[in-house]
């Protein structure tokens, strides 16, 4: 298999899948299988990236079966970015999960239960990775449904892994909501198929034309995906599910899983059916996004538990993605919004994973996550505290983070397209974000005089470093901004000159 | 040439790397940490001197990193940057020495010095920023780097102060970001080298440009402590003395003032400012701040709080100078005050810290006769205070003089009245301190006296204020010499063609 | 043609009923069933979509493939949902049949 | 050439040493070598004295780098002022060395003494505006140290009022200088020639330098300070430092170059009032220093009038400048001699001897204008000036001058009487030797005879008619004083520290009922000012009521703080007691949004919305 063979495109799907199955078979050394899979995934994504930069977008039909019956994969700019995001975060999460579980297993209580959790975690996580990769690579809307369901199944199982009643109830609710969303989406797919008779994304783009059938289909698909993306006011399931899961799982759910459904939504609205979308619908999305930003932030502000705060902040941050909707497809602001979404997704994935990891480490060490009792954590967990703070910088959208670039692009498009009210929302959102971030950070970093408040148990560096590295990636994303843009730009879809020159 | 640009990066790294290493150092590595700090400060000073010489001989230092369209990281050293950078690096060296002495036996020093170095790195980066976006970037980072320093003591007051600081600065930062983006949509990327945007835009976007200016002013005004955005500054004085010194003289407040300078001279440009009729706005804002800060300072009994309000008042001189920028003389006054205020205020804060550290004195009413116990400290304090009032030959007079000439040249008589009133008010709150320290008799024992062997206080606490006080006098006395802040400011003005 | 539309409508009605049940019923099993009914409705619509007018060639195979896939997915998801429901019933003290689900956000603890 | 250069170099060095020596010695006071400084106190003035005789006028020291470029030189006016000032400082230093020898604070005293001296010399030499301003400030602020030297409550009060006025003066000067520099396009004094001076600047200069010489509304600091400073310093203050104000006027409003009718009116009216006011109030004071201060106010008033006359015309200006200098020299010598004498006699044991009385009488009567003294010469000069100026100011020589002469006579006699009665009451340390006093007496009596330039006036003044003109006011004054003392019941003059004059006034002034009311009014104003000072001192935070007002204002104005506190509440997680309602609302809403039915409704609703919106 040479490096420019199109077969590499299946590797991000096949490799984690095989590794996941192997993890079911072998009880021992599952971590190393997972680590290997994560690394191999990263490597294959890197090769894909190299191919992409060299050859441009590509399609691949599995087994030689052509659409409509065969399964075809496609790769374009956004796909590559999402794959990269999954691979990098995935590697970080894998490493962190190792540290997390070994720390828990090292604890004297409930060793068996913790071991069992670890045993189930790895295959599920690898399956989820498979599903996500497949989702990003899928080239037709029905395959998207299947991969969505795969994501749902593995994510729900992961969410229930902690075994506590609260987490199981939350996971069940999550599963039901996801099913509803998937079915809603599937119904939309059916409508599309009924109207146009094609499933393939490329073909759909060519044949799509406005009409009641498409309206109904798009409404159903959008609603389903919004449910899964937890956009306000359909976010009710997210905080308990994310907050009650194990820390690595929270990182996965908040950082990656919600991005999957959003990716589909985005592709549908801006790639496939872009020509038939009305400004009203875009504005409605913006309004919902505004609601999410404000409501999520306010709820995050009033939370007393760290993980719930972080979960609500996810709701708020997802709102920004929808603010981009009314800004796209409008004058020259549109391309800016495109790039803004890409940066927002990437930065949020890294930052939120890092934040949940940090929160998990803090929980492990303190035995609780009551915000008001977190004073002085920096003393024993300096790296974790820094990771949390840096991730927070990202959420606030302060430079030079990826969040900043995203906010800059959003602001810029809103002002060029004379929709300044969205920029007010964005600024308000950042200020509220700074409130909830600093609510925690200011406690973490104050070292009270007198006795230390948490006993520092020895722990592996895997518990602290992955979070820090991911947070740093999110922070420095702003500085390497030209590269993601280059990837986006190589695609035919975004043919604008986003690059500031120089490269 | 590329290596010239890298000099700027080295300047930043010379404090950034020590900062990062210091974070990792264990608490008890006192010697290593101190020498790292001083080494970094020394290297930075050398680099900046090299850069200054280069700038003087017309070399161009520039390094850029494009991010997205219209967003580009650009470090560019022009004479104005050099002014601010030199001030920061010199005062950082002194403040580091002071801080080492000040925190000799307090906890969490690695933490403290780490942020201290980051803070200075960011300040220098603000000085070297070559466009508005880069300025914004480091401006926001400055908020983050100084916040841990303000809450360093961890007391409830410190936390409250830190919280207020964040509310003000992050709010200001958001407004600033908004304004920068808006400006960019109208005028394109704002570089600091060009003298403002095209005059044609003034006609087409008058309202927008005026609003943007107000927003920009609000953004930088928070850090520059323009009334009514100054609320955080007096509270932030709960921080340790070196931090207050840094905050007031070098980093935060000065960054805000520097931002005003950049906006007026570079982003808008003097011509556009007068076309848009924006100068009166700035004049009024800064005048109100000058008087209000002084009046509030009159009411204080807490020494550091008084100094904080005095900063509110004094920093606005820079804005005042900029608001009279139609006249080169006033610009000279404003720019040179950037340096002068830093020198004077850092002296005052050093001395206030000495009093607190050695004798436990925090209030003015406790200062009776303190000069007998700490003559050198109080001598330095007196020089700083007289400078603030504007008594010759201190540097304060030089700034005031040029400001006055500039105001006159613009026929702004009432600005003269502001200058006079501010001098009087300054005298009203500083002279009673001086007289009671020097001439009153000690009434009570000092609150918490600590004795040191040879000197009135620790040597490392004593040397920095004495040095800065000497600079305050010497820089004023040789103001007209070839090498002085004033001479450099004249050089800057030549570069601007004023 | 009419039959085809009827099938489709029937499927939509099923979907709507399932939707209503999912939102209105608090019993976990009912919710799972509701979801199943919804998927059945969708499949019905899908099967109807395979209809080709007489003489237009053979029946479209793609919807069938999709329905088959869908059924497989549905079965596995239902299995997972049932397992989860059982777990919820085992580990929580809630009486599922009466009170429905109660997740207390404020007291829910992570880990 | 080389010789010329060498000479020039030496002269330049001497010029620099004039202010340099005292400055160097002053800095020595801060080092362990302070004993040397104390010993070398008189030396500081000697270099100035030498320079005033030796350095020719053409020598200029230019220091372009120093403080916006400085220039020093010795012109004719400066030479006279430097000579007199140096002499007075020398005497003050000689007597001061003895007097404060056993004072524990003498080092501090020496430091400030030398710094003030340096300032005084420096400003005389300065040939540029900022140099003048710089040394003026140095002198003014250093003199504060002398005023509060005794460390008593009274001294501090005096110092405070001194400082307030110094500050006002500094600011007024600053403004005036800025405006002058702006209109003159240069900082050298010679640039000022030919510049039209704005009336506003005249007012500012009047305030700025008028404060130093105790011009009328700004004289408040003078009596208290003169009373508070140790006698040697008082001699320097009253003899040398006041002249800085006059010199300032001469420098910045060059007489003979400037004509300003409005300005002359201001100066003449203010000066005339001060001349009368000083006498009237001075007669009601019971302490020697205060009385001398009021005498200074009065005399300075006369000089202000002379200056005002000089502003009426160009020729008059030239004339007035000379008369002014003459008068200033006369007054400096006489006043410093009186202070030195007072310093010698204040702490004596036993009653005054004849010689002592005679020693006091000489400068006193000189001040009053006794024939054959410098006073008579000056007054004759003044008369000539009024004659020269003509109407409407001719009236001054007819009425004003005799009245002030009578008043001054009364005042100095009053002073001598007070000195006779205040045996051992002043705690100024040990008594100083009489050497300096004797030297000053010699100077008072001989100065005009040795000064070639004034010989015309001297000759003129000893004409017989002039002699009588000068003599009758003094005789009248003496008779009036005798009558007053007879009328007033004999009583010991209270000489305890800080007598509130107004409270005791009725017992003492029964003979002069007709002005009692007037005095009460004026005294009331002064008391008012003092009360204000006391209040300011008691609250270290000044203007407390004002501060309270401001704080109230702050609360209402500061709506921004309101926003800030709202955000603070948000930060604390809305758990504060006052916000439980909002918190409850938020939690409840979030719960309701989590209900399946609500989710279903919003799902359906959104579905419909999207369906229509997509169309």
């Amino acid at each position: 298999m040479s490096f420019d063979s199109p077969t590499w495109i299946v590797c991000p799907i096949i490799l984690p899948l095989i590794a996941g199955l192997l993890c079911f078979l072998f009880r021992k050394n599952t971590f190393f299988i997972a680590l290997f899979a994560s690394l191999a995934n990263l490597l294959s994504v890197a090769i894909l990236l190299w191919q992409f930069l060299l050859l441009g977008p590509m399609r691949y039909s599995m087994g030689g079966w052509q659409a409509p019956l065969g399964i075809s994969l496609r790769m374009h700019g956004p796909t590559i970015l999402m794959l990269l995001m999954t691979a990098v975060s995935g590697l970080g999460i894998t490493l962190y999960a190792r540290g997390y579980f070994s720390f828990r297993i090292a604890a004297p209580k409930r060793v068996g239960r913790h071991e069992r959790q670890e045993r189930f975690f790895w295959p599920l996580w690898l399956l989820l990775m498979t599903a996500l990769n497949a989702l990003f690579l899928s080239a037709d809307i029905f395959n998207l449904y299947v991969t969505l369901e795969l994501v749902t199944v593995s994510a729900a199982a992961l969410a229930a892994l902690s075994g506590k009643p609260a987490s199981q109830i939350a996971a069940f609710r999550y599963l039901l909501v996801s099913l509803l969303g998937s079915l809603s989406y599937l119904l939309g797919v059916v409508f599309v198929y009924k109207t146009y008779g094609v499933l393939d994304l490329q073909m759909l783009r060519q044949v799509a034309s406005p009409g009641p059938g498409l309206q109904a289909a798009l409404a159903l698909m959008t609603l389903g995906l919004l449910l899964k993306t937890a956009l306000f006011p359909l976010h009710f399931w997210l905080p308990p599910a994310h907050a009650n899961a194990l820390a690595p799982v929270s990182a996965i759910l908040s950082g990656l899983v919600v991005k999957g459904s959003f990716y589909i939504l985005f592709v549908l609205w801006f790639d496939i059916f872009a020509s038939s979308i009305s400004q009203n619908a875009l504005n409605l999305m913006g309004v919902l996004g505004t609601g999410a930003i404000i409501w999520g932030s306010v709820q995050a502000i009033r939370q007393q538990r760290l993980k719930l705060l972080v979960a609500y902040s996810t709701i708020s941050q997802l709102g920004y993605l929808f603010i981009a909707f009314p800004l796209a497809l409008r004058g020259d602001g549109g391309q800016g919004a495109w790039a803004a979404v890409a940066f927002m997704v990437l930065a949020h994935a890294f930052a939120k994973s890092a934040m949940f990891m940090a929160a998990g480490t803090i929980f492990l060490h303190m035995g609780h996550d009551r915000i008001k009792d977190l004073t002085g954590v920096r003393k024993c967990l300096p790296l974790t505290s820094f990771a949390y703070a840096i991730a927070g910088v990202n959420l606030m959208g302060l430079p030079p983070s990826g969040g900043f670039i995203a906010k800059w692009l959003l602001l810029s498009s809103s002002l060029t397209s004379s929709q300044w009210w969205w920029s007010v929302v964005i600024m308000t959102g950042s200020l509220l974000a700074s409130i909830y971030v600093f609510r925690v950070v200011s406690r973490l970093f104050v070292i009270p005089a007198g006795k230390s408040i948490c006993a520092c148990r020895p722990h592996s560096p895997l518990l602290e470093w992955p979070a820090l590295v991911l947070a740093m990636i999110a922070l420095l994303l702003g500085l390497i901004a030209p590269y993601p843009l280059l990837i986006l730009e190589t695609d035919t879809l975004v043919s604008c000159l986003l690059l500031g020159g120089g490269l | 040439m590329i290596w010239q640009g890298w000099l700027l990066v080295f300047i930043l790294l010379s404090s950034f790397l020590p900062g990062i290493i210091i974070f990792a150092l264990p608490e008890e590595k006192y010697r290593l940490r101190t020498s790292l700090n001083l080494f970094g400060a020394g290297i930075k000073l050398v680099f900046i001197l090299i850069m200054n010489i280069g700038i003087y001989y017309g070399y161009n230092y520039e390094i850029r990193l494009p991010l997205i369209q219209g967003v580009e990281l650009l470090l560019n050293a022009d004479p104005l940057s050099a002014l601010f950078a030199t001030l920061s690096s010199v005062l950082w060296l002194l403040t580091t020495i002071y801080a080492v002495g000040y925190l000799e036996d307090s906890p969490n020093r690695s933490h403290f010095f780490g942020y201290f170095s980051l803070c200075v790195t960011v300040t220098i980066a603000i000085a070297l920023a070559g466009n508005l976006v880069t300025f914004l970037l480091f401006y926001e980072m400055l908020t983050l780097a100084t916040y841990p320093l303000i809450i360093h003591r961890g007391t409830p007051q410190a936390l409250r102060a830190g919280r207020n600081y964040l509310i003000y600065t992050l709010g200001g930062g958001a407004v600033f970001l908004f304004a920068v983006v808006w400006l960019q949509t109208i005028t394109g990327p704002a570089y600091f080298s060009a003298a403002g945007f095209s005059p044609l835009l003034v006609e087409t976007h008058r309202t927008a440009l005026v609003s943007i200016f107000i927003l920009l002013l609000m953004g930088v005004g928070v850090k520059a402590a323009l009334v009514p955005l100054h609320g955080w500054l007096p509270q932030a004085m709960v921080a340790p003395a070196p931090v207050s010194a840094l905050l007031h003289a070098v980093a935060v407040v000065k960054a805000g003032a520097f931002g005003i300078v950049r906006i007026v001279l570079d982003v808008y440009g003097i011509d556009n400012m007068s076309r848009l009729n924006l100068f009166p706005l700035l004049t009024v804002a800064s005048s109100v701040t000058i008087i209000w800060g002084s009046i509030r300072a009159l009411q204080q009994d807490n020494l550091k709080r008084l100094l904080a309000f005095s900063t509110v008042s004094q920093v606005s001189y820079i804005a005042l100078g900029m608001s009279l920028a139609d006249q080169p003389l006033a610009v000279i006054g404003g720019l040179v005050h950037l340096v002068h205020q830093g020198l004077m205020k850092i002296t005052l804060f050093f001395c206030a810290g000495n009093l607190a550290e050695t004798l436990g004195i925090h209030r003015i009413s406790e200062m009776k006769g303190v000069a007998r116990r700490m003559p050198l400290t109080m001598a330095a304090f007196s020089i700083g205070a007289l400078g603030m009032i504007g008594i010759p030959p201190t540097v304060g007079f030089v700034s005031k003089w040029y400001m006055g000439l500039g105001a006159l040249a613009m026929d702004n008589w009432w600005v003269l009245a502001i200058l006079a009133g501010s001098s009087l008010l300054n005298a009203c709150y500083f002279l009673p301190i001086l007289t009671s320290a020097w001439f009153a008799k000690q009434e009570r024992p000092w609150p918490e006296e600590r004795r040191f062997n040879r000197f009135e206080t620790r040597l490392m606490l004593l040397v920095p204020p004495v040095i800065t006080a000497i600079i305050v006098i010497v820089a004023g006395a040789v103001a007209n010499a070839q090498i002085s802040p004033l001479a450099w400011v004249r050089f800057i003005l030549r570069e601007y063609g004023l | 043609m009419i039959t085809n539309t009827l099938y489709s409508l029937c499927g939509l009605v099923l979907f709507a009923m399932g939707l209503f049940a999912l939102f209105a019923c608090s019993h976990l099993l009912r919710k799972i069933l509701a979801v199943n009914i919804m998927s059945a409705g969708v499949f019905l619509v899908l099967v109807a979509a395979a209809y080709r007018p007489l003489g237009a060639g053979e029946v479209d195979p793609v919807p069938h493939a999709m329905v088959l896939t869908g059924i497989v997915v549905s079965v596995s998801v239902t299995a997972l949902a049932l397992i989860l429901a059982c777990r919820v019933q085992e580990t929580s003290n809630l009486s599922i049949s009466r009170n429905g689900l109660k997740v207390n956000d404020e007291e829910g603890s992570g880990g | 050439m080389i010789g010329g250069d060498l000479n020039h170099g030496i002269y330049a060095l001497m010029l620099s040493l004039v202010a340099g020596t005292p400055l160097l010695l002053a800095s020595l006071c801060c080092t362990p070598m302070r004993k040397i400084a104390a010993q070398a106190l008189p030396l500081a003035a000697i270099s100035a004295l030498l320079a005033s005789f030796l350095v020719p006028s053409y020598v200029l020291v230019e220091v372009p780098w120093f403080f916006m470029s400085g220039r020093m030189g010795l012109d004719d006016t400066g030479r006279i002022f430097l000579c007199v000032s140096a002499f007075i400082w020398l005497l003050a230093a000689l007597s001061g060395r003895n007097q404060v020898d056993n004072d524990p604070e003498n080092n501090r005293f020496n430091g400030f003494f030398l710094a003030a001296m340096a300032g005084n010399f420096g400003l005389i030499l300065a040939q540029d505006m900022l140099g003048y301003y710089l040394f003026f400030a140095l002198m003014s602020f250093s003199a504060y140290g002398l005023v509060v030297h005794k460390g008593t409550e009274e001294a501090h009060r005096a110092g405070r009022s001194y400082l307030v006025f110094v500050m006002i003066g500094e600011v007024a000067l600053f403004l005036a200088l800025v405006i002058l520099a702006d209109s003159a396009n240069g900082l050298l004094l010679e640039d000022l020639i030919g510049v039209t001076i704005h009336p506003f600047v005249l007012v500012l200069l009047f305030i700025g330098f008028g404060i130093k010489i105790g011009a009328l509304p700004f004289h408040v600091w003078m009596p208290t300070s003169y009373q508070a400073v140790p006698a040697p310093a008082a001699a320097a203050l009253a003899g040398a430092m006041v002249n800085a104000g006059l010199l300032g006027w001469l420098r910045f409003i060059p007489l003979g170059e400037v004509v300003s009718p409005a300005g002359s009116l201001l100066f003449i009216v203010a000066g005339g009032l001060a001349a009368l006011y000083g006498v009237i109030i001075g007669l009601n004071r019971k302490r020697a220093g205060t009385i001398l201060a009021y005498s200074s106010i009065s005399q300075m008033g006369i000089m202000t009038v002379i200056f005002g006359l000089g502003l009426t015309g160009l020729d008059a200006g030239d004339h007035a400048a000379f008369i002014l200098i003459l008068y200033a020299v006369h007054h400096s010598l006489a006043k410093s001699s009186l202070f030195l004498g007072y310093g010698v006699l204040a702490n004596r044991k036993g009653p005054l001897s004849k010689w002592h009385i005679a020693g006091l009488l000489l400068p006193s009567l000189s001040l009053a204008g006794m024939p054959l003294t410098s006073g008579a010469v000056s007054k004759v000069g003044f008369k000539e000036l009024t004659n020269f100026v003509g109407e409407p100011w001719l009236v001054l020589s007819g009425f004003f001058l005799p009245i002030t002469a009578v008043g001054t006579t009364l005042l100095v006699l009053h002073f001598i009487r007070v000195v006779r009665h205040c045996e051992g009451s002043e705690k100024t340390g040990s008594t100083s030797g009489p050497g300096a006093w004797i030297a000053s007496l010699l100077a008072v009596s001989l100065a005009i005879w040795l000064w070639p330039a004034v010989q015309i006036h001297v000759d003129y003044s000893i004409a017989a008619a002039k002699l009588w003109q000068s003599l009758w006011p003094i005789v009248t004054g003496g008779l009036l004083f005798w009558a007053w003392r007879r009328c007033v019941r004999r009583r010991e003059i209270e000489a305890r520290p800080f007598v509130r004059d107004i409270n005791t006034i009725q017992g003492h002034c029964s003979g002069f009922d007709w002005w009692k009311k007037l005095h009460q009014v004026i005294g009331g104003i002064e008391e008012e000012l003092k009360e204000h000072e006391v209040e300011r001192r008691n609250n270290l935070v000044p203007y407390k009521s004002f501060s309270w007002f401001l704080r109230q204002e702050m609360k209402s104005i500061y709506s921004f703080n309101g926003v800030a506190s709202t955000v603070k509440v948000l930060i604390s997680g809305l758990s504060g007691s006052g916000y439980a309602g909002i918190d409850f609302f938020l939690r409840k809403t979030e719960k309701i949004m989590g209900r399946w039915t609500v989710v279903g409704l919003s799902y359906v609703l959104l579905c419909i919305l999207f369906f229509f919106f997509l169309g």
Side-chain angles (χ1 to χ4, degrees), chain A residues 106-120:
Chain A
K109 282 190 289 184
R110 294 178 171 174
V111 178
R113 181 168 158 192
H114 296 154
E115 275 175 351
R116 203 163 55 245
Q117 280 173 359
E118 190 191 11
R119 216 167 54 230
F120 285 118

Side-chain angles (χ1 to χ4, degrees), chain B residues 168 230 292 295 372 435 477, chain D residues 67 105 144 550 554 558 561:
Chain B
Y168 278 88
H230 66 285
W292 184 254
I295 290 174
R372 236 169 269 262
T435 55
Chain D
F67 197 56
E105 297 290 346
Y144 173 80
L550 276 177
M554 288 286 289
Y558 240 162
N561 267 355

Side-chain angles (χ1 to χ4, degrees), chain B residues 329-399:
Chain B
L329 286 172
V331 179
I332 291 184
L335 287 181
V336 88
H337 202 61
L338 193 80
V339 177
H340 290 169
Q341 191 268 349
L343 288 169
M344 296 186 286
K345 192 39 70 66
I346 210 165
T347 312
L348 292 174
F349 266 108
F350 282 157
C351 295
N354 279 1
L355 292 179
E357 190 67 354
T358 317
L359 303 178
I361 292 176
H362 296 97
R363 313 197 145 266
I364 295 162
S365 42
E366 296 162 345
M367 281 177 71
K368 284 185 179 152
V370 74
R372 236 169 269 262
R373 169 70 176 74
M374 305 181 72
L376 280 175
T377 304
M378 280 319 290
F381 187 91
S382 307
I383 290 169
L386 291 177
M388 286 288 174
I389 301 170
I391 305 297
T394 55
V395 287
F397 175 78
V398 179
S399 336

Side-chain angles (χ1 to χ4, degrees), chain D residues 375-449:
Chain D
V377 178
S378 318
K379 289 204 168 150
V380 167
F382 182 53
K383 271 182 194 151
E384 286 168 32
L385 181 66
T386 49
N387 290 337
F388 184 84
V389 173
E391 290 295 342
W393 302 118
L394 208 55
V395 64
L396 286 177
S397 63
F399 293 95
F400 171 71
L401 204 58
I403 289 173
T404 52
V406 171
T408 308
T409 315
L410 274 170
L411 198 55
V412 287
L413 289 174
H414 180 51
F415 164 72
I416 294 176
R417 199 182 140 271
V418 168
V419 174
R420 274 181 64 195
H421 283 272
C422 65
E423 193 175 329
S425 58
E426 297 285 323
K427 295 193 177 74
T428 48
S430 63
T431 310
S432 58
W437 185 30
I438 292 167
S440 81
L441 286 176
L442 280 175
V444 171
S445 46
L446 296 179
I448 47 159
W449 310 107

Side-chain angles (χ1 to χ4, degrees), chain A residues 1-68:
Chain A
M1 204 158 64
S2 66
F3 277 121
D4 49 359
S5 147
T7 325
W8 282 101
I9 201 169
V10 293
C11 288
I13 303 172
I14 299 293
L15 286 173
L17 182 65
I18 294 171
L21 296 176
L22 284 177
C23 281
F24 270 124
L25 294 177
F26 298 102
R27 293 280 165 104
K28 298 276 176 200
N29 293 333
T30 41
F31 162 67
F32 294 102
I33 299 173
L35 181 64
F36 175 76
S38 303
L39 283 171
N41 182 30
L42 187 61
L43 182 73
S44 54
V45 169
I47 292 170
L48 283 183
L49 173 65
W50 179 73
Q51 283 185 359
F52 175 74
L53 290 177
L54 221 60
L55 305 170
M58 63 160 91
R59 288 181 64 87
Y60 179 75
S61 297
M62 294 209 5
W65 288 82
Q66 295 297 320

Side-chain angles (χ1 to χ4, degrees), chain A residues 141-157:
Chain A
I141 49 175
F142 184 74
N143 276 347
L144 283 175
Y145 160 74
V146 177
T147 49
L148 254 185
E149 285 289 39
L150 279 176
V151 169
T152 302
V153 171
S154 41

Side-chain angles (χ1 to χ4, degrees), chain D residues 203-371:
Chain D
V203 173
L204 285 175
L205 285 172
F206 175 74
I207 297 171
F209 291 123
I211 283 172
K212 185 82 350 190
I213 68 164
L216 197 48
F218 313 112
H219 66 285
V220 179
W221 64 272
M222 214 175 193
T224 50
S225 304
Y226 278 19
Q227 179 62 38
V229 287
L237 203 59
M241 290 196 248
V242 273
N243 289 346
L246 286 177
L247 185 64
W249 280 344
L250 286 173
R251 294 285 200 215
F252 290 91
I253 315 172
L255 286 180
E257 310 282 344
V258 183
V259 178
S260 166
S264 75
L265 191 66
L266 167 72
F267 278 79
I268 291 172
V269 170
L273 285 178
L276 300 175
Y277 177 88
V279 171
I280 294 169
I281 304 296
L283 281 176
N284 285 283
R285 294 293 183 258
K286 282 153 210 71
R287 294 197 298 164
T290 320
I291 295 167
L292 285 182
Y294 277 105
S295 152
S296 279
I297 292 169
S298 161
Q299 295 293 312
M300 284 297 165
I302 295 172
M303 283 184 247
T304 315
V305 171
I306 296 175
F307 192 85
L309 289 173
L311 285 172
T312 50
L314 291 180
D315 296 337
D318 285 334
H319 204 84
F322 185 75
I323 303 294
L324 189 62
I325 293 168
L326 173 61
Y327 209 113
V329 170
H330 142 69
H331 171 255
S332 300
L333 289 173
K335 191 52 64 65
S336 58
S337 171
L338 281 178
F339 265 111
L340 287 171
Y342 169 58
V344 172
L345 300 178
N347 272 0
R348 74 199 185 274
K349 304 278 183 287
L352 290 181
S353 72
K354 265 183 290 192
W355 290 108
H356 288 147
I357 302 257
L360 286 176
L361 264 177
L362 175 66
S364 301
L365 293 180
S366 171
L367 271 184
M370 183 75 173

